[in-house]
Amino acid sequence: MQVPVLVVGAGPVGLALAGDLGWRGVNTLLVERTDGAVTQPKMDMVGIRSMEFCRRWGITDWVESAGYNRHYTQDCAWVTDLNGYEFGREPFPAPADEKPPPHSPQHRERCPQNFFDPVLTRFAVENGSDIRYNTELVDFTDLGDRVVAVVRDADGTTSEIECQYLIGTDGGGSRVRDKLGIEMTGDGVLTYTTNAVFRCDGLESLHHTKAAYRYIFIGEEGTWATLVAINGKDQWRFSLIGDGDRRLVSEEEMRTAIVRAVGREFDFEILSMLPWVRRQLVADHYRSGRVFLAGDSAHLTSPTGGFGMNTGLLDAVNLSWKLAAVLDGWGGETLLDSYETEQRPVAIRNVTEAGDNLKRMLQPRVAKPEAAVFAGDSAEATQARKEYGQRYTEMMAREWFTIGIHLGYLYEGSPVIVPDGTPAPELTVSTYTPTARPGSRAPHVWLSPQRSTLDEFGLRFALLRFDAAADAGPLLAAAQAGSVPIRLVDVDSAEAAALYEKPLVLVRPDGQVAWRGDDAADAAAIVETVCGLRGTDRTSETAVK
């Protein structure tokens, strides 16, 4: 069997990659060793940039209607137990009530993996991807001009697949990464944790604490567990947070811990349990020849902050258009090399931030709460809890407000970005200042009540022109000469013109600014650079597309 791209691993990142490739017209085969069922959702928040991608793909309605109760509060609260004392909380609206910030046409969405995977599966299938479950990668060989992979299906039958590129999205224990011999750098064990998903309809009526999406439990020993409303209805994910020592948590111990967290005996059904390890690791390389890594195979992060899957979707969108460009014959090897150059620093930043979030969440283990906060209802105890809660709330705010992580990433030093000489903006976490500096996400501006500048980006380069007198001809001609897909977009918006700063701005298919300027006198060099063709021979794989 021959296929242009073989993707190994059908989690959210593999599904998004296959879907985006299909959306770009690239035939893709996706193999997954399991049946694809999700009993323990490993992610539950689709970040604002990921929702912008969903908007591009036309699937935001699918995400919103996937199954999560969008009217359920999203507050985060820290408590002794649900029938004990509340230290504090950070209020957030239900998804149905949340409004997009000024910087985006979308807002984040609560959509756990057991809901999000089916959405992405539909997206991939409707765009022509072939998904084969219960099919395991056995081996592969990079022959230089192609990759030959061996897969085994459920009945033990093996077969060969010949592809131009293979992408490993096969998770933290990636067979693809191991086969390539690529090491990971960072902390291999932050904590050993055990999750339990349990069912209890009407849990909110069994305690006096105000409803919240997420509860953090703090006892005399410090932070010891969390509870998440995993479907906003009757299912909950309880995480018993261990330390650096591996141990097996029995169902009896888990039931005892859940009862302690709720603060009373009650009836509930444990649906599944999953022991797992929090890690802070990034692969040393994202590419070896014709084989690439994306998602958890390339970076492993603590879920504190919700960066893992969202960083992986950024991987998928960054890599997809570059593979399509090379397969179409207008992209060069440097374009493929730029995937690691651009995405690895983003992963390092996000993985580090998530690890720091974990340290903040577990800080009560280091500086244990004073005994007074657990000392009943006296005025002194009440005041002690108030003061303690205020300090913890202020410390945790950095995890809840992260728009700078999701929108403010930069592709600094990329070989396929044409710098304009302006200084790099400061990387921030809780704030975001839009910029059209090359290497940045092209900013959002409303062009009409339902039309964003972001809606102009996707399948091809977009040359934005903010001044009708600016000559776009040379750049369009240079792109046409190289068979580079491009469209001219005249933008009549003073707000957008001020934000983008230059009369001509070239935006890549993934929505990043590639170049901006007053004119394109050096159009041929610009096109060669952004397509990864400077100093290299043009690469063509059109025969297998």
Side-chain angles (χ1 to χ4, degrees):
M1 179 182 179
Q2 291 185 329
V3 67
V5 179
L6 173 63
V7 179
V8 180
V13 177
L15 290 165
L17 177 58
D20 196 64
L21 283 166
W23 185 64
R24 298 180 187 282
V26 178
N27 293 327
T28 304
L29 173 62
L30 174 58
V31 297
E32 166 58 42
R33 65 180 180 82
T34 73
D35 63 4
V38 178
T39 57
Q40 281 275 347
K42 296 179 181 178
M43 52 74 53
D44 55 34
M45 192 268 285
V46 184
I48 187 170
R49 184 57 169 157
S50 296
M51 285 303 296
E52 289 177 353
F53 296 147
C54 291
R55 179 188 180 94
R56 178 185 301 172
W57 298 328
I59 64 172
T60 55
D61 288 346
W62 302 358
V63 177
E64 293 172 357
S65 61
Y68 189 84
N69 178 8
R70 300 186 71 244
H71 297 283
Y72 200 84
T73 180
Q74 296 297 290
D75 287 8
C76 296
W78 12 106
V79 300
T80 57
D81 62 72
L82 297 184
N83 279 294
Y85 301 105
E86 179 176 312
F87 294 113
R89 69 173 51 221
E90 195 72 63
F92 291 100
D97 299 324
E98 186 168 353
K99 306 300 181 185
H103 312 308
S104 177
Q106 298 296 143
H107 61 76
R108 64 180 186 172
E109 190 67 37
R110 190 67 64 189
C111 190
Q113 187 180 358
N114 54 317
F115 296 135
F116 195 45
D117 274 14
V119 166
L120 293 176
T121 300
R122 178 184 172 189
F123 168 59
V125 170
E126 290 193 4
N127 281 281
S129 296
D130 182 1
I131 304 178
R132 300 187 184 182
Y133 293 100
N134 299 306
T135 303
E136 182 179 13
L137 176 73
V138 177
D139 199 5
F140 65 87
T141 304
D142 187 342
L143 298 176
D145 62 342
R146 66 194 186 282
V147 178
V148 177
V150 179
V151 299
R152 180 170 52 227
D153 62 23
D155 65 9
T157 302
T158 61
S159 57
E160 282 193 354
I161 299 171
E162 185 177 291
C163 57
Q164 294 301 308
Y165 297 100
L166 185 151
I167 296 90
T169 57
D170 50 340
S174 172
R175 177 167 293 181
V176 175
R177 188 185 65 239
D178 288 346
K179 168 73 175 179
L180 294 174
I182 294 176
E183 301 292 331
M184 302 190 85
T185 298
D187 193 334
V189 177
L190 298 176
T191 71
Y192 288 97
T193 297
T194 302
N195 286 359
V197 173
F198 69 89
R199 178 185 289 124
C200 177
D201 194 8
L203 178 65
E204 297 87 350
S205 66
L206 301 179
H207 61 82
H208 61 244
T209 301
K210 182 182 175 183
Y213 158 73
R214 183 185 189 190
Y215 298 100
I216 297 175
F217 297 97
I218 302 173
E220 294 180 358
E221 72 271 49
T223 309
W224 65 278
T226 64
L227 180 67
V228 165
I230 200 62
N231 68 353
K233 300 172 186 174
D234 62 346
Q235 292 187 22
W236 306 82
R237 185 181 66 211
F238 181 78
S239 297
L240 188 58
I241 308 169
D243 52 25
D245 296 325
R246 183 195 298 269
R247 69 181 187 87
L248 180 65
V249 176
S250 67
E251 181 171 329
E252 180 182 4
E253 180 182 355
M254 182 62 74
R255 295 187 71 89
T256 299
I258 292 171
V259 168
R260 176 191 173 189
V262 175
R264 58 168 286 180
E265 294 285 346
F266 70 107
D267 292 329
F268 61 96
E269 176 189 5
I270 293 182
L271 302 177
S272 63
M273 288 179 56
L274 176 70
W276 58 284
V277 187
R278 296 176 194 260
R279 305 185 192 275
Q280 185 172 321
L281 296 168
V282 177
D284 293 341
H285 297 288
Y286 279 24
R287 179 190 186 189
S288 176
R290 289 179 172 267
V291 184
F292 297 80
L293 303 176
D296 283 359
S297 68
H299 41 80
L300 290 166
T301 178
S302 169
T304 38
F307 305 142
M309 187 280 299
N310 293 292
T311 305
L313 253 62
L314 200 61
D315 293 341
V317 172
N318 184 290
L319 180 58
S320 175
W321 78 270
K322 295 173 180 178
L323 289 170
V326 173
L327 290 165
D328 272 343
W330 55 268
E333 281 296 309
T334 302
L335 192 61
L336 297 180
D337 287 338
S338 72
Y339 166 62
E340 176 181 321
T341 304
E342 294 180 348
Q343 284 301 114
R344 190 169 181 272
V346 173
I348 292 172
R349 181 191 182 208
N350 293 359
V351 165
T352 302
E353 183 66 24
D356 289 345
N357 285 339
L358 177 65
K359 292 176 183 177
R360 284 185 280 270
M361 186 180 78
L362 298 183
Q363 194 271 344
R365 293 185 177 184
V366 179
K368 290 183 170 52
E370 57 188 270
V373 304
F374 306 107
D377 297 317
S378 68
E380 292 79 9
T382 301
Q383 182 62 25
R385 282 193 293 274
K386 179 180 178 181
E387 293 176 359
Y388 181 81
Q390 288 175 339
R391 293 194 299 271
Y392 194 77
T393 301
E394 291 171 1
M395 179 179 64
M396 290 297 292
R398 184 176 171 114
E399 178 176 343
W400 315 134
F401 301 97
T402 56
I403 192 170
I405 292 285
H406 290 276
L407 300 184
Y409 59 92
L410 299 171
Y411 293 152
E412 197 70 10
S414 170
V416 295
I417 298 290
V418 183
D420 66 355
T422 57
E426 178 186 2
L427 293 177
T428 58
V429 173
S430 301
T431 60
Y432 165 68
T433 302
T435 175
R437 179 180 180 271
S440 303
R441 161 189 170 273
H444 154 73
V445 175
W446 287 114
L447 302 178
S448 68
Q450 298 297 323
R451 189 73 175 169
S452 164
T453 49
L454 272 58
D455 297 328
E456 305 294 339
F457 315 139
L459 288 174
R460 57 189 64 84
F461 278 92
L463 179 57
L464 305 184
R465 181 166 60 182
F466 298 95
D467 182 349
D471 186 5
L475 201 54
L476 295 174
Q480 184 178 12
S483 300
V484 178
I486 192 172
R487 61 189 290 261
L488 177 64
V489 181
D490 282 307
V491 180
D492 183 15
S493 165
E495 179 186 359
L499 189 55
Y500 279 76
E501 297 186 291
K502 295 292 184 179
L504 295 172
V505 180
L506 184 63
V507 180
R508 307 189 323 190
D510 61 350
Q512 301 298 119
V513 176
W515 167 88
R516 65 178 178 177
D518 297 310
D519 59 66
D522 51 351
I526 293 170
V527 170
E528 288 180 359
T529 297
V530 301
C531 295
L533 295 169
R534 293 303 299 271
T536 65
D537 293 330
R538 180 179 295 273
T539 300
S540 178
E541 304 287 1
T542 53
V544 296
K545 182 171 183 295

